[in-house]
Amino acid sequence: MTPLRHLFSPVRIGTMTAKNRMLMSAMSINFGVDAKGHVTEQLIEYFVARAKGGVGSMLVGGGAVHPTGLELPDLPTLWDDDCIGALEKMTKAIRPFGTKFGMQLMHGGRQSYHDNKVAPSPLPAAAVVKGVPKELTIDEIHELAEAFGDSAKRCQAAGFDFVEIHGAHGYLINQFLAKNSNQRNDDYGGSFENRIRFLIELFRNIKRKMGSDFPVGIRINGSDYIQDGWTLEEALQLAVILEQEGADYLHVSAGVYGSSELTIPSMYTQQGCFVHLAHAVKKQVSVPVVAVGRIKSPEMADRIIGEKKADIVALGRSFLADPDYPRKAESGDLARIRPCIACCLGCIHNVLALEPGSCVVNPDVGREYLLKGTDRADESKKILVIGAGPAGLAAARMATIRGHEVMVCEERGHVGGLARLAAIPPGRSEIMEIVEYFKNELDRLRVDLRLNVALTPSFIQSVNPDHIILATGSLPEMPIIKGLFQTKMSLCSVTDVLEGSTATGNRVMVIGGNQAGLVLADFLAEKEVVVLNRKKHFAEEMSSNDRFYLRERLKRDNVKLYKNVSIKQFLPDGAIFSSGGEKIRLQGFDSVVIAEKMTPIRKASELFEDTHIPVHVIGDAKSPRILMHAISEGEDIGRAI
Ligand SMILES: Cc1cc2nc3c(=O)[nH]c(=O)nc-3n(C[C@H](O)[C@H](O)[C@H](O)COP(=O)(O)O)c2cc1C
Ligand code: SF4
């Protein structure tokens, strides 16, 4: 029996009862529809996997009620009766698992990706998307209210259990609500009553068309976290009105494009960062209130319900990372939950780049329909994995699950490879959780993991594997720059500093403005730190959400960043370089830390050059890249053998 008794108690939402209090929040995942926006097997199987995982209720994200409101290119469209057939196929596929299935009704307004954007006022979005939207006429506003009602009706016809109106995150409805995006001086702008009019009218339209029995929830922002945006005071006032209007639940989120607190927060933010907003709303109403935002651990989720801060907890990315989260939480198998590390890279960064959503820690996202029935290998093989970083661990786990006999050898005394170091700078510790997850999995699967192994030909011979997976990672490469090896500053690499093997002194020059260089600068920020980036952009391999918080930290700590740097020469205590057309001489530094390119480590391959054992090189050992590649290549090879 689970100790998480609050989380796993049923909850009534209008006429519907969900079996537990976990809601998979709406995510515009940008895959799984055809050219008309009708859902395909890809989206169906993505949701089936999550319904099988035991979630109480879940929402399809980004259901577009009108062509002008399609937020991203590959989202479900709801503006035509033609969409019903495919949606019905999806709801039928979900029904056997007992998860209540809802559609979020959305209009992107000025935050839509395309050029036919409309909005209450002709003002561009504060960030992410470009272009001035067309101001809606009164007739067009009425047409959109009808479109919400008609779309909801189609969802009902397709067999959905409920719908949620997307009134948050700076999309069309939120644009009407907030003063900064609504500068109309007719019945839909100005006073609070006028700004909420569009939402109230479309809500009534939905309820009129569907009958009062069909559950309709509304997602609003507790705060836009932007100047002259929607405030908590306004949200509290609106919540009471929405309850009176017959809303079946209220879902309280936060943030818009360009806000100071992002809707999809990165690992730098506190877990549960928006729960206080839901709590404030809950004090005003008696309909169920949903909290969201970095609610990560089942214990935290349970506590939020137990302490009556909310009635339901919504998790988004945790369901990308692990579709089976509820089932594992309910059975008390918490260490088996594959954790979302809040990197924002595979998911929101991808979709805002108009790519299909995915997940850094779970390469199966969006591939569920392709992976059916690939569980066991035809023949069990003996596999030697060399290297216990994320790639090696992921490969070992998958190969073992498929029935192979796996041994993992690591020359160091610990697992994790570079991910262990990446988790050391401030705010980055959640990266280590994915390493711990894989380590726990290897323990559970009783994989033969050997640390401090010095590989020799005779050792390989004694193991006599059928396959070798080389996952030995990468190390920093020293650049060739005039004077670098003659400087009197102490010279070391980012890994030396993070491993604690080198002291840097008080004034540090970091060469490299990628992720490693910037998180290192943050790690050293109590000292005086400058970063010389030879590229045009900083940390391009990070998601924009994650980088946003990191840049704020560096600004706060006065870390000086130079880009487009061309280093002319190193001095005994500094460097001469140009940046932005300016020639700069910096002196008085104690150390220079290299954090630029990485180079693959493949030394071990010499040991089996003369054997006929098939060798598969994966992760950084193949080519130094990000964690996502390491994990996906590990899982792919584990599946392929
Ligand atoms: C890829 C992606 C797409 C999202 N799309 C939507 C959306 O269409 N509608 C919405 O209300 N929220 C959307 N969100 C926000 C999530 O519903 C959720 O509020 C947010 O991720 C914070 O919760 P979490 O920390 O549990 O992920 C999206 C989030 C992600 C990661
Ligand atoms: S990509 Fe990163 S933030 Fe997004 S769900 Fe996966 S682990 Fe979480």
Side-chain angles (χ1 to χ4, degrees):
M1 176 67 188
T2 175
L4 305 166
R5 60 188 175 87
H6 305 295
L7 192 56
F8 289 97
S9 61
V11 58
R12 193 150 179 87
I13 304 165
T15 53
M16 145 185 123
T17 301
K19 63 185 170 188
N20 61 49
R21 286 159 187 261
M22 296 180 96
L23 164 70
M24 174 178 159
S25 65
M27 285 179 283
S28 294
I29 202 69
N30 204 36
F31 63 65
V33 296
D34 66 15
K36 287 178 155 178
H38 299 166
V39 306
T40 62
E41 198 197 349
Q42 186 184 17
L43 196 68
I44 295 176
E45 291 305 325
Y46 160 81
F47 279 112
V48 164
R50 277 129 192 109
K52 273 186 187 165
V55 65
S57 51
M58 62 184 182
L59 278 156
V60 182
V65 300
H66 193 270
T68 56
L70 187 67
E71 181 211 356
L72 298 168
D74 290 316
L75 295 178
T77 58
L78 306 174
W79 59 71
D80 195 299
D81 287 353
D82 282 358
C83 68
I84 296 172
L87 291 174
E88 194 174 9
K89 203 171 154 205
M90 183 158 72
T91 60
K92 279 191 175 147
I94 299 304
R95 188 143 307 124
F97 304 103
T99 296
K100 296 296 173 195
F101 198 25
M103 170 67 78
Q104 190 183 53
L105 306 174
M106 177 170 189
H107 189 298
R110 66 178 183 173
Q111 289 184 172
S112 304
Y113 80 101
H114 55 73
D115 292 333
N116 299 318
K117 295 188 251 298
V118 296
S121 301
L123 301 164
V128 185
V129 291
K130 294 194 166 59
V132 179
K134 179 185 141 346
E135 184 176 43
L136 286 162
T137 64
I138 298 274
D139 282 348
E140 286 166 339
I141 293 173
H142 293 161
E143 183 191 329
L144 288 179
E146 293 291 336
F148 270 92
D150 293 340
S151 298
K153 191 100 188 92
R154 290 181 193 112
C155 294
Q156 188 182 33
F160 280 98
D161 301 300
F162 68 109
V163 293
E164 178 179 277
I165 299 167
H166 196 348
H169 304 167
Y171 297 106
L172 184 69
I173 296 170
N174 195 169
Q175 286 157 35
F176 272 94
L177 295 177
K179 282 187 198 135
N180 65 348
S181 45
N182 182 348
Q183 297 183 352
R184 300 179 73 95
N185 45 27
D186 57 14
D187 285 352
Y188 292 90
S191 66
F192 175 81
E193 196 189 21
N194 282 354
R195 282 180 283 123
I196 68 167
R197 189 179 308 281
F198 176 54
L199 172 58
I200 301 299
E201 284 182 357
L202 70 87
F203 177 77
R204 287 179 182 165
N205 195 297
I206 292 172
K207 278 283 182 184
R208 195 172 62 245
K209 285 178 176 151
M210 307 182 71
S212 58
D213 282 357
F214 193 84
V216 182
I218 304 172
R219 194 173 215 196
I220 56 169
N221 269 354
S223 171
D224 282 357
Y225 289 114
I226 200 162
Q227 198 177 358
D228 295 328
W230 179 250
T231 63
L232 179 58
E233 292 67 39
E234 290 173 310
L236 299 182
Q237 228 182 312
L238 176 63
V240 175
I241 295 168
L242 291 175
E243 179 172 41
Q244 284 162 359
E245 288 286 333
D248 292 288
Y249 72 86
L250 298 177
H251 188 161
V252 186
S253 186
V256 302
Y257 288 7
S259 53
S260 59
E261 299 289 329
L262 300 180
T263 300
I264 304 162
S266 96
M267 59 183 93
Y268 285 110
T269 59
Q270 215 186 346
Q271 292 179 22
C273 49
F274 302 139
V275 173
H276 65 286
L277 301 171
H279 189 196
V281 168
K282 184 164 163 57
K283 289 181 196 157
Q284 305 295 315
V285 296
S286 52
V287 287
V289 170
V290 185
V292 72
R294 292 260 284 144
I295 301 171
K296 185 163 155 171
S297 71
E299 295 99 324
M300 174 187 252
D302 190 71
R303 222 169 28 245
I304 291 166
I305 309 286
E307 290 172 358
K308 304 204 180 313
K309 291 184 174 155
D311 305 282
I312 297 166
V313 287
L315 284 72
R317 291 165 293 173
S318 290
F319 280 103
L320 298 182
D322 195 339
D324 293 327
Y325 181 120
R327 203 168 42 76
K328 292 174 183 173
E330 190 167 20
S331 63
D333 245 350
L334 304 195
R336 283 205 63 201
I337 296 173
R338 190 186 287 232
C340 162
I341 57 170
C343 61
C344 302
L345 190 62
C347 53
I348 191 62
H349 190 79
N350 262 15
V351 304
L352 291 181
L354 311 186
E355 299 288 336
S358 68
C359 173
V360 165
V361 302
N362 179 13
D364 292 358
V365 170
R367 300 199 300 169
E368 295 83 358
Y369 72 122
L370 299 172
L371 298 172
K372 279 194 287 183
T374 56
D375 288 354
R376 297 292 290 187
D378 294 339
E379 192 190 336
S380 176
K381 301 267 173 69
K382 204 168 183 187
I383 299 177
L384 173 63
V385 179
I386 305 177
L393 296 176
R397 171 183 174 274
M398 186 54 75
T400 308
I401 288 173
R402 294 190 59 251
H404 297 301
E405 184 191 334
V406 180
M407 176 193 284
V408 182
C409 291
E410 165 61 51
E411 69 170 358
R412 294 176 174 245
H414 47 73
V415 300
L418 283 180
R420 198 181 56 87
L421 297 182
I424 291 174
R428 313 295 296 171
S429 62
E430 281 173 69
I431 294 173
M432 197 56 196
E433 290 177 17
I434 190 65
V435 173
E436 280 154 13
Y437 161 79
F438 279 119
K439 171 71 171 60
N440 288 333
E441 282 288 283
L442 263 51
D443 291 346
R444 178 181 71 84
L445 296 164
R446 299 179 198 284
V447 175
D448 186 358
L449 169 65
R450 302 192 182 188
L451 302 176
N452 299 308
V453 174
L455 283 180
T456 58
S458 60
F459 179 79
I460 307 267
Q461 234 171 14
S462 70
V463 178
N464 191 24
D466 299 312
H467 288 264
I468 292 177
I469 297 176
L470 193 69
T472 36
S474 62
L475 51 77
E477 186 176 300
M478 282 288 158
I480 306 206
I481 309 173
K482 193 172 159 196
L484 178 61
F485 295 100
Q486 283 77 44
T487 176
K488 293 210 164 59
M489 295 183 284
S490 84
L491 173 62
C492 57
S493 72
V494 54
T495 51
D496 297 330
V497 177
L498 294 175
E499 269 165 354
S501 58
T502 311
T504 54
N506 284 326
R507 299 193 72 205
V508 187
M509 186 172 274
V510 175
I511 309 295
N514 54 16
Q515 174 172 340
L518 293 199
V519 298
L520 175 77
D522 191 23
F523 177 67
L524 297 172
E526 279 179 4
K527 305 169 189 277
E528 190 181 332
V529 184
V530 297
V531 176
L532 308 192
N533 181 16
R534 297 203 280 169
K535 295 189 186 156
K536 190 169 164 198
H537 299 290
F538 287 95
E540 279 178 294
E541 72 278 46
M542 289 177 92
S543 69
S544 47
N545 286 28
D546 202 15
R547 189 172 52 228
F548 165 78
Y549 290 102
L550 175 57
R551 293 287 300 254
E552 291 295 309
R553 292 175 62 87
L554 296 175
K555 235 185 274 169
R556 185 198 65 195
D557 291 335
N558 293 320
V559 172
K560 193 112 179 64
L561 304 180
Y562 295 94
K563 64 180 177 180
N564 282 322
V565 165
S566 167
I567 300 175
K568 307 295 173 210
Q569 134 179 44
F570 276 98
L571 302 168
D573 64 344
I576 299 173
F577 60 93
S578 67
S579 167
E582 215 186 323
K583 189 170 171 196
I584 301 164
R585 184 186 183 99
L586 293 181
Q587 283 185 271
F589 284 82
D590 301 308
S591 56
V592 53
V593 186
I594 305 297
E596 280 193 326
K597 274 177 79 176
M598 303 296 285
T599 193
I601 307 173
R602 291 192 210 125
K603 195 172 65 197
S605 57
E606 291 162 11
L607 297 171
F608 28 83
E609 251 164 18
D610 297 332
T611 70
H612 296 291
I613 307 168
V615 178
H616 312 272
V617 186
I618 60 166
D620 274 14
K622 180 174 171 191
S623 162
R625 285 150 303 155
I626 55 172
L627 184 60
M628 176 148 73
H629 298 115
I631 295 175
S632 70
E633 279 175 15
E635 300 217 340
D636 282 352
I637 194 64
R639 276 204 175 94
I641 296 176

